[in-house]
Structures are given as structure tokens and as C-alpha cells.
Amino acid sequence: GSFFFFFSPGEGIPAYETPPHTVELLSYRIGKFFFSNRHYAAFLKQVKTQEDPKRSGWFLREPPQAKLDHPVVGVSWHDACAYCAWLSEKTGRVYRLPSEAEWEKAARGSDSRRYPWGEAWAEGCCNVGGNDTTPVDAYPAGASPYGCLDLLGNVQEWTCTLWGSQPDAPAFGYPYDPHD
């Protein structure tokens, strides 16, 4: 169905996130949680050529034991895609990174709310302001209308939408093109 991006230029809204426009999305499914260190460790045990996550406490292909249910960090876009390909092969179902528009709809619902949980900021709905990750299920009050967690705070997410090589300047800007 249709999904409306409503960002307008203004304070805190980068120009590359505008103008407001409607995007048509095909039906899709999205995971409720990020993949965790526990899940990524299973992948590494079977795919011996895959490197450990960088700078995140992994040692000899083992995640930090106190962070098994935290989201995996220190993986590249290619690493995340390799995990999705492996999971697809293991399960016989297709897994991939969501597009930016799919991720945004999962986070903001069909009513384009400001935060996954609603229009107003609410303490205790996400991990922000800290310097460490939290378990993927630590903030159930922050669930989006579709039941997805951690779509604000905790870690940055990868999508399959083309961006470019500069972190702060997309080479493929709005309006969103589903063929990018």
C-alpha cells in the first residue's frame, strides 16, 4: 500500500530527507528484532570465511557472553547481506535487508507518526544517550505499530537502499525511488 513520507525542511531535518512524498510499497514482512550476537555467532560457526565483527568485544569468533541478546554491531553492509543470504539458505525463506522506505514504514506506521510509539517523546521507550547497547527486547514500550522494537536508538541500521560513499551526503536522494 501507500506510505507517505511527511518530512519538510526545517530544524533537525536534513534537506536530503525532503520533500514530502508518497511511496507505493509491495507487501513485505520485517523482523520484530535486530539480529543478535547469538544469531550472528551461529552464522560465524558455519561460515568459516566470514570475519568477526569489528571493535565489539568478539574474541575467536565468540560474542561477549554478557551481550548474547544485544544487537550485533561492528558489521559492514556486506556482512549484513551475507548473514541474510546465509539465513535464506538455512531456512528456505528469503531474507534481505529492508529498503529505507520499508524500514521507515515499520518504524512509523501507516499514520507516519514521529516516533515508533507515537507523536510525543516518551522516556523508557528506547536506548538513547548511553554509550552501550541493550538487549534487542529491552524496550517493549517503544514498539512500532507493527510490533517492531529498537527502531529508534540502540544501534544504526543497514538498509538495501542505495546511498553512496559519503555518510552525510546521499548520492541517491529523495524523492525515494524503489528501483534504486
Side-chain angles (χ1 to χ4, degrees):
S2 294
F3 175 67
F4 183 70
F5 283 86
F6 77 93
F7 291 129
S8 296
E11 186 177 337
I13 306 294
Y16 61 76
E17 290 191 7
T18 63
H21 61 284
T22 300
V23 174
E24 290 289 327
L25 295 176
L26 299 175
S27 295
Y28 67 99
R29 292 180 185 207
I30 192 165
K32 181 176 180 177
F33 307 105
F34 291 134
F35 51 89
S36 69
N37 287 321
R38 180 186 317 274
H39 296 122
Y40 204 75
F43 165 58
L44 290 180
K45 285 183 185 359
Q46 293 189 12
V47 182
K48 304 296 185 198
T49 57
Q50 188 69 36
E51 293 184 24
D52 291 11
K54 306 291 184 237
R55 302 176 309 274
S56 58
W58 286 68
F59 182 71
L60 298 175
R61 303 179 74 74
E62 290 292 329
Q65 289 301 300
K67 293 187 174 186
L68 291 176
D69 294 323
H70 288 232
V72 67
V73 296
V75 297
S76 70
W77 181 86
H78 294 284
D79 296 334
C81 289
Y83 175 81
C84 291
W86 170 80
L87 189 59
S88 295
E89 183 180 309
K90 295 305 283 179
T91 63
R93 299 176 74 181
V94 176
Y95 288 88
R96 63 171 174 79
L97 296 175
S99 70
E100 180 186 1
E102 290 167 339
W103 182 93
E104 183 125 3
K105 183 175 182 184
R108 301 176 67 211
S110 59
D111 59 357
S112 297
R113 55 188 56 203
R114 186 169 184 88
Y115 302 104
W117 54 85
E119 283 300 315
W121 178 259
E123 291 296 325
C125 288
C126 65
N127 176 14
V128 293
N131 56 4
D132 201 3
T133 60
T134 53
V136 298
D137 61 355
Y139 293 93
S144 77
Y146 300 105
C148 300
L149 298 177
D150 264 358
L151 295 178
L152 179 65
N154 213 8
V155 296
Q156 292 181 323
E157 301 85 7
W158 290 116
T159 70
C160 67
T161 301
L162 293 178
W163 180 266
S165 60
Q166 300 301 315
D168 297 326
F172 305 89
Y174 285 108
Y176 174 80
D177 180 353
H179 302 292
D180 280 352

